[in-house]
Amino acid sequence: MNQWHYSQAARALHAGGVIAYPTEAVWGLGCDPYNETAVRRLLALKRRPLHKGVILVAASMTQIEPLLRGLAPEHLERLQASWPGPNTWLLPDPDNIIPSWIKGKHSSVAVRVSAHPGVISLCKAFGRPIVSTSANPSSAEPARTLLRVNTYFGKKLDYYLPGKLGDLAQPTTIQDLRDSRVVRS
């Protein structure tokens, strides 16, 4: 895809905007995780409570390196074996690197290093991880088409990044890194 689209999406993110973009299985909503106003706006659009938290998606393990410091070698190996890929892990955040408005009521943070080419290009253009949550109001089905995203949110979003969904039938599995317990399958 044209690099211009990624630059426009990154510009919207840096300006505090909320964007829609294709992910591995469904369309996602994203924003700058360090911009509390943007995150709260995204949650309001979805009608999702703050305490639930949201996922971060990154282009590479380098983009989340501060969260990897201090992990046990076996945990780091588990991540390296599953990333990049459609695996979301709950990572401990004992130093509170990630803001509370991302983690919600949790002490850990949900993170995925994506293998989806569009997500990788988006995170690279932005320069760091972004919020990744399904593009739908909380009670509605996740959007699998751009038309559905537009039906849900219309002009309330700041940018719609064109592209194709990945091949997954369902959103990514979420596992706890400490015990491999599946939180969402």
Side-chain angles (χ1 to χ4, degrees):
M1 187 199 323
N2 186 325
Q3 191 58 40
W4 181 85
H5 289 291
Y6 295 109
S7 298
Q8 292 301 108
R11 181 175 296 150
L13 293 169
H14 282 295
V18 176
I19 68 165
Y21 61 99
T23 72
E24 297 88 344
V26 297
W27 278 79
L29 294 181
C31 66
D32 179 351
Y34 293 97
N35 183 326
E36 183 178 4
T37 302
V39 173
R40 287 184 180 274
R41 182 172 154 230
L42 180 151
L43 293 172
L45 285 167
K46 276 187 64 83
R47 296 191 300 268
R48 179 181 175 89
L50 180 70
H51 74 270
K52 285 189 169 186
V54 290
I55 296 171
L56 296 182
V57 67
S60 66
M61 288 180 72
T62 304
Q63 285 193 329
I64 59 159
E65 194 275 329
L67 286 169
L68 304 178
R69 286 187 214 128
L71 286 181
E74 62 271 14
H75 291 159
L76 205 49
E77 287 171 20
R78 191 175 299 150
L79 294 177
Q80 290 168 330
S82 70
W83 283 342
N87 304 292
T88 300
W89 291 95
L90 298 179
L91 304 182
D93 184 19
D95 298 325
N96 289 313
I97 296 165
I98 304 301
S100 61
W101 56 82
I102 294 296
K103 295 187 294 188
K105 67 177 182 180
H106 311 283
S107 60
S108 58
V109 60
V111 180
R112 178 171 75 257
V113 175
S114 183
H116 185 281
V119 173
I120 293 169
S121 294
L122 176 59
C123 291
K124 283 183 176 178
F126 185 55
R128 61 182 182 261
I130 65 169
V131 168
S132 183
T133 186
S134 59
N136 59 287
S138 286
S139 59
E141 281 294 309
R144 293 190 186 274
T145 66
L146 183 53
L147 178 61
R148 176 61 60 159
V149 181
N150 211 325
T151 301
Y152 286 151
F153 301 108
K155 297 182 187 298
K156 294 176 184 170
L157 300 182
D158 299 291
Y159 193 75
Y160 287 83
L161 180 66
K164 294 184 183 328
L165 294 178
D167 296 331
L168 288 186
Q170 298 295 322
T172 60
T173 298
I174 301 176
Q175 288 180 274
D176 192 315
L177 184 63
R178 291 165 288 210
D179 58 13
S180 293
R181 176 177 50 92
V182 175
V183 178
R184 178 182 82 187
S185 59

